[in-house]
Amino acid sequence: MASDGPSPLRFFELREDLHGKFDTQFRKTEPVNTGDAPRCAACGEVIGLRTWLPPYRGDLEVYGEGLGDFVEASGYDFLLSERMAKAFRAEGLTGLTGFHPVEAGRVRRKRKGLKFSAVPRYVVVSPCFGRGAVDDARSRIRRTAPIACPECRCTGLDSIHGYTLEDGTWQGEDVFRPRGCQGSVVVSPRFAEFVTQHGFMNVKLIPTEEFVWDPLDLGPPGPRS
C-alpha cells in the first residue's frame, strides 16, 4: 500500500520524573530577584511569569537514588547538569537561553541511607517562546476565554487532555514554549532521542497528544458541536 506522505512529527511535553529513581527538587534561597514578565509583541499582554535574575542560588532535595540531570526550578526556568548542558550545546540543539552557573547550597537527602559521592554542577536555562502554535481544532483544551490575539494566542486554561501543534508553525526549535499554551515546555523528536542516547536522569517526556493537566478534575471536554 502506498504511503500517504511522511509521518507527522511527534512532539513531547517536558516534565521532571516526579517520584522516579532520580527525583531531585530545587528550592531557591534568598535573595530572589526578579525582572519584568514577558509580553506579547503584538497585543502587549503578559504571556508569562516574571523572569528570575541573579544571584542564581538554592538548595537541592534528593528524593530518589541520586541527583538528576534535569531539575525544575520555578516559573519558566529549570536546571541542567553541566554534563547535559555541554552535550546540548555540543550537538547543536536549540531553544534554550541562559546557561548561567547555579550556586547550589545544601543538598538534603530525603531517603534514609542515601549516599552519593559527588554533586554535579548545574546551570539555569530558560526555554524560548517558539513559533509553534497549538491547533485548537485538533486538541482537547478547555480555555477560560476565546483567543483574542492571533500572535500569542494567550488565554487562561482550565484543562488539557492532549494537544497538537498547528501544521507549518514549528520552526525547528528543540525546546520551546508553544503559542496558545505558554505554560508548557515542548521538545522535538531530536531532543527526545538526545535524552535517550545519553541516559539523562529525571527527565519525563510525554507525547503532547497524551498529556493531561486537569487540576479541577473536569474530565475530557465533550465533542465539538
Side-chain angles (χ1 to χ4, degrees):
M1 182 177 178
S3 171
D4 293 330
S7 299
L9 290 174
R10 195 174 208 194
F11 294 92
F12 300 85
E13 177 96 10
L14 174 61
R15 293 278 167 155
E16 61 186 357
D17 190 14
L18 193 64
H19 307 305
K21 291 180 65 176
F22 292 86
D23 184 358
T24 306
Q25 307 292 316
F26 179 78
R27 311 296 179 201
K28 294 178 183 177
T29 52
E30 296 293 340
V32 178
N33 298 321
T34 58
D36 294 337
R39 291 182 178 272
C40 174
C43 70
E45 288 296 316
V46 171
I47 57 173
L49 303 175
R50 295 173 68 90
T51 55
W52 185 22
L53 301 177
Y56 303 108
R57 61 169 65 125
D59 297 330
L60 294 165
E61 298 177 351
V62 186
Y63 293 84
E65 299 176 2
L67 288 137
D69 293 289
F70 171 80
V71 184
E72 292 185 2
S74 65
Y76 293 154
D77 304 300
F78 50 82
L79 311 186
L80 299 183
S81 67
E82 191 174 55
R83 177 177 83 100
M84 188 172 182
K86 284 183 176 180
F88 184 93
R89 286 175 146 175
E91 298 185 21
L93 275 71
T94 62
L96 293 179
T97 62
F99 293 89
H100 303 296
V102 172
E103 182 182 336
R106 290 181 292 178
V107 178
R108 298 186 175 95
R109 297 161 173 82
K110 295 296 186 176
R111 284 181 54 175
K112 291 183 179 179
L114 177 63
K115 296 180 180 179
F116 42 84
S117 58
V119 177
R121 294 178 179 176
Y122 288 95
V123 299
V124 59
V125 295
S126 301
C128 71
F129 287 86
R131 298 304 302 161
V134 171
D135 187 339
D136 275 35
R138 296 190 295 147
S139 302
R140 306 187 76 187
I141 293 177
R142 282 192 178 89
R143 297 190 180 276
T144 58
I147 292 174
C149 176
E151 173 59 26
C152 67
R153 309 188 184 191
C154 188
T155 65
L157 300 176
D158 281 334
S159 69
I160 303 171
H161 287 267
Y163 64 95
T164 302
L165 296 184
E166 185 178 305
D167 292 342
T169 59
W170 178 60
Q171 294 189 355
E173 309 95 331
D174 291 300
V175 188
F176 63 97
R177 294 189 176 274
R179 295 157 58 206
C181 197
Q182 287 90 340
S184 289
V185 178
V186 174
V187 300
S188 68
R190 185 165 77 136
F191 183 91
E193 183 179 359
F194 164 76
V195 168
T196 300
Q197 287 182 342
H198 290 275
F200 293 124
M201 303 300 181
N202 201 37
V203 179
K204 188 172 185 179
L205 300 175
I206 307 169
T208 58
E209 64 271 17
E210 298 174 12
F211 176 71
V212 175
W213 178 79
D214 189 3
L216 301 177
D217 199 23
L218 299 173
R224 295 177 179 273
S225 57

